[in-house]
Amino acid sequence: FREMARDEFAVDPGSPLDLLSRGREETDGDLERLIARTLNADTENLTRTYAALGPETVLAVTTVLADAGRLAFVGFRKNRALATYAVALFSAIRPDVRVLPEGPAMLADGLLDVGPEDGVVMFTFRRPQRDHGPTARTVRRNGATLITIGDLGHDPATPEAHHALVCHTGGVGVFDSMVAPMSLVNLLFTATAIRLGTDAERRLAALEAATSELGTFRTDSTDARA
């Protein structure tokens, strides 16, 4: 049982350099084996992530995402890709959604506008950064609701969070698998859209009208999505 517990909560070495040989060792350079191992790892990550995610947690987080006056997604380094993706989704169904930091040395400026009516979602995957703890404490000091989405490793932002969501990210390559985090973002987006109801529908309708007027998409395609 102790061995099983260690396996369940084991965290991979922090550096991509430490993981450089992992894929080669696990697959012996065989591409067919690499495909199978990747599929198995991602499927297991999804299963473990969702097994620990109860409807009451999703409801609590969705309430913040829907009702917050402003909604900010924070991601440093590779986590910024997740924050940017989340902003692209949530800005389609509700106003006042932003990504932080917006640029070099802009984090402090962005946090100035975060207040008691607001929500902040912080992605904390892989190695903890010096920015994480101070950023989380500033969010709490400003009275905003903090949600963290991270892995099994310890991060200084997690103890400050009102809601801490955990994703399994084990993989076979140099970097972590982001399949479970991306899936979780999609789940929270859909749940938030359902909660917003007609408000989300009106915003999406306005977005469709705007893209039509700007000629953003092709209309001469036979694809039904056009």
Side-chain angles (χ1 to χ4, degrees), residues 125-179:
F125 290 99
R126 187 43 68 173
R127 291 181 288 179
Q129 290 196 199
R130 294 183 185 275
D131 312 88
H132 289 184
T135 299
R137 289 190 291 273
T138 300
V139 171
R140 289 295 300 256
R141 188 167 57 249
N142 289 358
T145 302
L146 176 64
I147 300 165
T148 58
I149 301 178
D151 52 30
L152 294 169
H154 171 74
D155 190 277
T158 305
E160 302 290 340
H162 296 86
H163 307 286
L165 304 181
V166 175
C167 294
H168 288 261
T169 59
V172 295
V174 175
F175 295 109
D176 290 339
S177 168
M178 290 292 104
V179 170

Side-chain angles (χ1 to χ4, degrees), residues 9 11 32-34 63 122-123 153 165 181 185 187 195 199:
F9 294 102
V11 179
E32 186 172 341
R33 190 181 302 173
L34 174 61
T63 301
M122 189 172 176
F123 295 97
L165 304 181
V185 170
L187 168 68
R195 179 177 177 83
D199 288 339

Side-chain angles (χ1 to χ4, degrees), residues 111-122:
L111 290 175
L112 282 175
D113 294 330
V114 173
E117 303 299 321
D118 304 329
V120 175
V121 181
M122 189 172 176

